Amino acid sequence: AYKLGIGYELEFDQRWTFTPSLTYIAKGAKLPDQEVPFYTPNGQLEYDDQGNLRTGIMSRQISANYLQLPLMFSYYLRTGEGQYVVFSAGPYVACGVSGKIETKGDTSREGSEKLYYETKTFDHSDINRFDAGVQALVGYQFPSSLTLGLEADFGLTKFNTFGRNVSGMISLSYRFGK
């Protein structure tokens, strides 16, 4: 996945800053090889000749794209001329704008949809379009104003009935100006 954005850094002093930004971020999940029961065309569970429940294997891949507003507070630890270790954390809010769910092997569907179909992520009633949580980053800023970092989002709202958004990223950012 990816994340693109723009922000503005407000300096409190030589070490502390506040950075509001607006980002477009792609998040997702893979749910491979889930055992699911077969259903008859009228919606009843299907059994084989010996009375055993018929099952199949279903896999899903979910993509969810958000407009996200992180409000990050950063601490810069100077390690050399123009070089810093950066520690950042802060809250974020996000709104889902697009995405899709690819499903393979859904035994509750009819015809070719038993094999494969796609749906829009946020058209599902059990998926929450809004997300809020905490974002954290640890990075290294080079004299060239490039920062290489490890970043994580920890969602505090439920994405669906199964869990929350949690993501990890390797980030590369560039600081314009000073």
Side-chain angles (χ1 to χ4, degrees):
Y2 56 90
K3 176 180 176 178
L4 300 169
I6 189 163
Y8 185 78
E9 189 170 54
L10 302 163
E11 290 185 17
F12 295 127
D13 59 29
Q14 293 293 316
R15 294 184 180 195
W16 289 96
T17 65
F18 172 67
T19 308
S21 55
L22 182 64
T23 60
Y24 181 84
I25 183 169
K27 298 180 181 185
K30 290 183 181 182
L31 306 170
D33 302 337
Q34 300 170 308
E35 188 173 2
V36 292
F38 268 88
Y39 289 89
T40 63
N42 63 359
Q44 301 296 316
L45 290 173
E46 192 173 310
Y47 296 89
D48 63 18
D49 296 336
Q50 287 79 33
N52 299 317
L53 182 64
R54 289 190 61 212
T55 61
I57 301 296
M58 181 174 73
S59 297
R60 283 199 167 139
Q61 185 167 324
I62 302 170
S63 67
N65 305 314
Y66 293 88
L67 278 178
Q68 185 166 300
L69 177 66
L71 303 171
M72 303 292 285
F73 293 90
S74 300
Y75 179 80
Y76 286 81
L77 179 63
R78 186 177 175 147
T79 60
E81 185 66 35
Q83 301 172 17
Y84 300 89
V85 175
V86 183
F87 301 95
S88 300
Y92 73 85
V93 293
C95 180
V97 293
S98 65
K100 66 181 176 180
I101 299 175
E102 298 175 355
T103 304
K104 298 176 184 173
D106 187 348
T107 58
S108 67
R109 295 294 184 130
E110 290 296 316
S112 64
E113 285 192 346
K114 279 189 184 289
L115 301 175
Y116 177 83
Y117 65 95
E118 291 182 4
T119 55
K120 292 180 180 178
T121 301
F122 297 108
D123 284 352
H124 290 255
S125 62
D126 67 331
I127 293 181
N128 190 356
R129 179 178 295 273
F130 297 97
D131 188 23
V134 177
Q135 189 174 90
L137 172 125
V138 174
Y140 186 78
Q141 184 175 338
F142 297 94
S144 62
S145 294
L146 280 174
T147 302
L148 180 63
L150 296 174
E151 189 174 329
D153 286 356
F154 303 96
L156 299 176
T157 59
K158 291 256 188 187
F159 173 69
N160 62 12
T161 55
F162 300 112
R164 306 175 194 293
N165 276 326
V166 176
S167 56
M169 297 159 267
I170 297 172
S171 65
L172 182 64
S173 58
Y174 182 76
R175 183 178 177 179
F176 292 96
K178 296 180 188 178

